[in-house]
Each structure stands twice: as structure tokens, then as C-alpha cells.
Amino acid sequence: MAKMLSGVRFLIHQRRGLISLAAVACILRGLAAGGAADEITTSQPPPATFRTILTVKDTEARLTEQSASPIGQMADNSLATVFVDPSKQFQTIEGFGGAFTEAAAVTWQKLGPTNQQAVINAYFDATTGHGYTLCRTHINSCDFSESNYAYDEVAGDTELKHFSIARDQKALLPMIQAALATSKTPFKLFASPWSPPAWMKTNGEMNHGGRLKPEYRQAWADYFVRYLQEYKEEGVNLWGLTTQNEPEANTGWDTCQYTPAEQRDFIRDYLGPTLKRAQLEKIKVMAWDHNRDDIVEYADVIYADPVASRYIWGTAYHWYSDGAFQNMAAHHDAWPEKPLLLTEACQDGGPHIGDWGVGEHYATAIINDLNRWSVGWLDWNLVLDEGGGPNHANNFCSAPIIADTKHDKLLFQSSYYYLGHFARFIRPGARRILCSSSQSKLEATACVNPEGTVAVVVLNRNQEAIKFNLKSRKAATQVTLPAHAIATYLLPATGL
């Protein structure tokens, strides 16, 4: 009997004490009945287990780890199935993250020191937060700035004698530097321009579209290089650039329009060679940076030019307008050597405080994008105020963390938790693996991390709980995903 109780104590202490009380009760009942429980001894390894991290609407479950569960061997053919095969591997993941904007930075500065650090930890601490590894910022102003601004506003200054990043040094750079100080693995940062200085444009202003004047193409390419150099002086080394944010947009905020041929020619004849002359050719240049809808047509023009194509690492895109996920697969079919990266997503139309649907919108988009070859996924503003700003064009949006600046409080939104199910458990260098769902009401994707852990993310946006098989070629376990919930299942790749 002492030998049997020793086995019980052994099991209770496995997996940091995560064995369920029901399992313990079952063992004790076996002991009382003189059953087969005497076979469980400290000399036998416990059955393989997997971890479950859960977020559920109308509960307190927010990225909450559940009790470890044993990996089963038998499928229930009456249930839906999510199937994974780690031996079938696809794109390598660069990372997940969000954007440093002036709006995010000035909002962050309005918080007290404790909550300032709490925001940074929530995103960049890999132990207690998301551990973001890929982020974005803006060159010159964007709509999420307090006003239009450029680093050189002196008309005709093609030598950039008046170039200054003093505006960014007030709020934007301090926030980036605070994040770098917290991030144990420095995140990759890339930058996007919304508009050149007004004097370089055909319409003479930073807003309402307009185009880059041909005579300023070289000055604009030099401007990119100067930006990279000035940021490096501040201890911020950029990983990449997009050529232009939303090149088809003509809105009431910072914009500049390019045809596919114009963007191709600017990269081929000016930006690419200028980066090379400055010994910055390792900077990852991305084309497009607009929605999925026209991505294939735009890329077809740019990548048809072999010289332009050599300067371009891959294609950036946004999630707005029609989903058009099929275009991601078409892009990969045509240019498999060019990575795809989702560089901006947010719920527009205000802060949407407490709206659970925003998180579900994020998750379904991330799953669809990863399954169609995206190598990463970036949210828009890291933090905004209670009004969804500031924004100089009143284009207010939601953010995963909303700051109540009047009361120095942080309001974590559903999107924060849903993003965490991917960012925390699918790490840089992970490979997407074969993953399928037998029913459309279960949305799923899966990756194997460099250390061998398989992360399977399953989303249930329905009104009822769904029981299903979590299955591989060698294992099958029945799990239940509550209504309006998302789960990340972490399994060892060996044995699957």
C-alpha cells in the first residue's frame, strides 16, 4: 500500500502539480478496491501530456493555463477533428508585434511610471507578457500623430541640411528605447512613410494623396538613409522598410500615391541603389504595404523587373477592406521566394472598449493569414487613449490596450488576449506545419517551435462549446473548446 501511495504522490507532483483532482480521486478509488493502481510506481514514466492555454468570453479565463492533460491514442469518429502533422513544414515565422506611433507614445507618457512599465512588460517581457519580436513605426507623421510633421520642412532642401528627428525624440523614441531595454531578445523594427514632406509632392501637402515629384526621387531615397542613420545614433537599429504605406490611398490624412510602375522604378533606380551605396543593403525592403485585394496585381508589375526584384525582400500588406485571403495563396504560388508579412491591422471606428468580437476578428485573420503563408502579423497602435486616439484626422481606432489617462488605468481588450495566443507560443524561427479542421466552425493553425514544441491554436467563434479530436498520425485526444473561446495547445513534437 505504501508503494501505491508513493505512486500517487509522484503523479501529483508531475507538471508542476497540474494533475486534476478527479484523476487523484480515481487513483484512490482504485487503491480502496484493491485494483490495478499498484502498477503506478515512481519507476514508471507518467503518460505524455500537453498544455492548454485558454481565453473564454464571460469568464475569468484570459491566457489561463489549464491542468495538464494526457495525450490519448484513440479518436472518436463521431466528433470533428483538428489534425496536425509536424513532419510537413512550411514558412518560417519572423514574429508578432505592433506599432510604435506618436499617438501610442504620447498616450504612454501620460501614464504614471508603474503603468508605463506595465504596458512595456505586457508587450515585450517574454515571461509575463507577449514577448513581441517584430514591430513597426512611421517615418514622418502618420494619421496617429498629433499633427502633420516631417523631418525636413524646408522647401527645396535636397541636401537635407535641415533634417532633424527632434519631434520623435520627445515621445516616440523614448517609448521604443524603453521597449528595447525590456526585451531580452531585441525585437526587429521596420519603418514606413505615410508621406514625404509636402514640398516633395505634387499636391503641396502631406494629406489627400498626391504623388512624389520625379525631381525629388533621389532626395527622398536619401531621406530614408538619413532616417536610418539618425535612428541608429539613438540606439535603434532598423531591420526593414516599406516603401510607402497604402500607396493606393487618398484620404484626409498623410498619404502619397504610387502606381505599381512608380513604386517599381523608385525602388529599382533610387531606394535600392542608395541603400547599397550607404552600406545598408541588409535592410529588408518591402513592397506594396496595402490591402490583400490588389496585392497580386501590384506585385506582378514590380517583381517582373529582375533588377527591382533583387532589392526587395518581400511583400507587406494590411487587413482592411475585403478579406481576399485567396490572394495570399496566389501570391505565394507566383513568387514563393518572396515572404508575405501582415504589417497593419486594427478595428477602426472608435476604441470598441469591451467588444469581444474585436479579439475574434483578430484571431480569425491571424489564422487565415498564417495558413496562407504570412511570416508574421503586426497589430497597429500598441496603446491608445480612451477615445481611440489621439489622431489628427479623427480616424479613431481600437488598440489591445486602452489607457484611461484621466484615472491612470489600463484597459486590456479582447484583442490583447487573442494576440497572446499566437505571439507567446509561436516564436521566431517556428515553422508552420500541416494543420486541418474537419469543420469550418473550428478555425485552426499550428507551428513547431525551434525547441520542438508544437503550438496548435484553435478558435471557436460559435455560441456553443465544441468537442473535437486533437489528432496527429500517432495520437488522438478529445478536448472541448467553450463557446467564444480560443485555445493554444502545446504538445511535444516527438510522438505525434
Side-chain angles (χ1 to χ4, degrees), residues 286-446:
M286 289 172 271
W288 185 227
D289 207 20
H290 209 157
N291 299 328
R292 301 183 194 95
D293 48 8
D294 292 336
I295 188 172
V296 173
E297 181 181 356
Y298 213 92
D300 193 49
V301 173
I302 293 175
Y303 293 140
D305 187 306
V307 178
S309 183
R310 281 199 296 269
Y311 287 120
I312 301 169
W313 174 77
T315 305
Y317 68 98
H318 298 179
W319 82 337
Y320 309 105
S321 74
D322 184 275
F325 293 106
Q326 71 278 2
N327 289 342
M328 312 312 298
H331 184 289
H332 177 77
D333 289 345
W335 307 283
E337 75 283 3
K338 297 297 185 183
L340 289 157
L341 178 63
L342 187 286
T343 53
E344 184 183 317
C346 76
Q347 190 64 53
D348 53 12
H352 298 276
I353 295 172
D355 186 346
W356 196 260
V358 175
E360 293 185 332
H361 188 186
Y362 272 56
T364 192
I366 297 170
I367 289 169
N368 276 284
D369 281 325
L370 292 181
N371 287 345
R372 290 164 179 82
W373 300 98
S374 184
V375 299
W377 211 91
L378 280 86
D379 180 39
W380 190 201
N381 300 275
L382 290 168
V383 60
L384 292 173
D385 67 22
E386 51 270 66
N391 183 292
H392 73 81
N394 296 322
N395 180 33
F396 303 118
C397 296
S398 184
I401 300 177
I402 296 294
D404 179 350
T405 57
K406 295 182 177 66
H407 303 96
D408 192 19
K409 292 182 179 179
L410 300 179
L411 308 175
F412 287 79
Q413 302 304 298
S414 61
S415 52
Y416 174 82
Y417 300 104
Y418 275 76
L419 274 163
H421 278 270
F422 302 89
R424 294 187 182 206
F425 306 108
I426 300 175
R427 304 302 293 167
R431 297 284 299 276
R432 181 173 67 87
I433 63 173
L434 185 65
C435 178
S436 68
S437 173
S438 65
Q439 294 186 9
S440 60
K441 61 184 179 180
L442 283 173
E443 302 168 65
T445 193

Side-chain angles (χ1 to χ4, degrees), residues 63-383:
L63 289 166
T64 303
E65 182 151 3
Q66 309 300 297
S67 297
S69 302
I71 297 174
Q73 300 296 320
M74 296 292 293
D76 183 340
N77 293 330
S78 68
L79 301 177
T81 294
V82 171
F83 175 80
V84 298
D85 182 353
S87 71
K88 303 292 192 302
Q89 299 186 2
F90 309 106
Q91 77 269 28
T92 300
I93 302 301
E94 289 286 347
F96 297 86
F100 296 94
T101 62
E102 185 177 63
V106 298
T107 299
W108 175 73
Q109 286 187 331
K110 291 178 181 177
L111 297 166
T114 299
N115 275 333
Q116 283 186 12
Q117 191 59 47
V119 169
I120 298 299
N121 291 346
Y123 284 125
F124 296 100
D125 189 307
T127 302
T128 63
H130 288 355
Y132 273 177
T133 55
L134 185 61
C135 291
R136 185 186 190 212
T137 191
H138 50 90
I139 297 172
N140 293 335
S141 60
C142 66
D143 52 325
F144 278 93
S145 298
E146 292 190 303
S147 64
N148 291 127
Y149 71 90
Y151 304 132
D152 191 335
E153 298 183 342
V154 178
D157 182 19
T158 57
E159 295 183 5
L160 305 179
K161 293 179 179 179
H162 298 88
F163 189 100
S164 171
I165 60 169
R167 173 77 172 249
D168 291 358
Q169 290 170 329
K170 296 178 181 179
L172 186 55
L173 273 164
M175 188 181 188
I176 294 172
Q177 291 159 342
L180 286 169
T182 294
S183 178
K184 294 179 181 177
T185 304
F187 53 87
K188 296 174 180 176
L189 182 67
F190 66 93
S192 306
W194 267 241
S195 174
W199 55 270
M200 290 189 183
K201 294 177 63 183
T202 57
N203 65 347
E205 61 169 311
M206 295 185 74
N207 303 335
H208 303 104
R211 314 190 96 82
L212 177 65
K213 290 181 178 180
E215 62 266 33
Y216 291 128
R217 288 173 180 168
Q218 185 57 57
W220 184 227
D222 293 339
Y223 201 101
F224 279 88
V225 168
R226 185 70 176 274
Y227 169 84
L228 294 169
Q229 293 169 340
E230 294 284 341
Y231 262 58
K232 185 176 182 178
E233 289 293 318
E234 297 291 325
V236 179
N237 292 294
L238 274 291
W239 170 81
L241 297 166
T242 73
T243 313
Q244 170 62 46
N245 177 75
E246 300 186 349
E248 290 186 334
N250 182 357
T251 61
W253 56 85
D254 321 62
T255 45
C256 185
Q257 295 179 300
Y258 287 76
T259 65
E262 286 171 337
Q263 189 170 118
R264 175 201 64 202
D265 294 350
F266 176 68
I267 294 170
R268 182 194 64 205
D269 301 334
Y270 298 95
L271 182 59
T274 302
L275 289 170
K276 187 175 182 179
R277 285 195 299 270
Q279 299 182 329
L280 292 168
E281 62 269 25
K282 290 185 178 180
I283 294 291
K284 304 293 191 294
V285 175
M286 289 172 271
W288 185 227
D289 207 20
H290 209 157
N291 299 328
R292 301 183 194 95
D293 48 8
D294 292 336
I295 188 172
V296 173
E297 181 181 356
Y298 213 92
D300 193 49
V301 173
I302 293 175
Y303 293 140
D305 187 306
V307 178
S309 183
R310 281 199 296 269
Y311 287 120
I312 301 169
W313 174 77
T315 305
Y317 68 98
H318 298 179
W319 82 337
Y320 309 105
S321 74
D322 184 275
F325 293 106
Q326 71 278 2
N327 289 342
M328 312 312 298
H331 184 289
H332 177 77
D333 289 345
W335 307 283
E337 75 283 3
K338 297 297 185 183
L340 289 157
L341 178 63
L342 187 286
T343 53
E344 184 183 317
C346 76
Q347 190 64 53
D348 53 12
H352 298 276
I353 295 172
D355 186 346
W356 196 260
V358 175
E360 293 185 332
H361 188 186
Y362 272 56
T364 192
I366 297 170
I367 289 169
N368 276 284
D369 281 325
L370 292 181
N371 287 345
R372 290 164 179 82
W373 300 98
S374 184
V375 299
W377 211 91
L378 280 86
D379 180 39
W380 190 201
N381 300 275
L382 290 168
V383 60

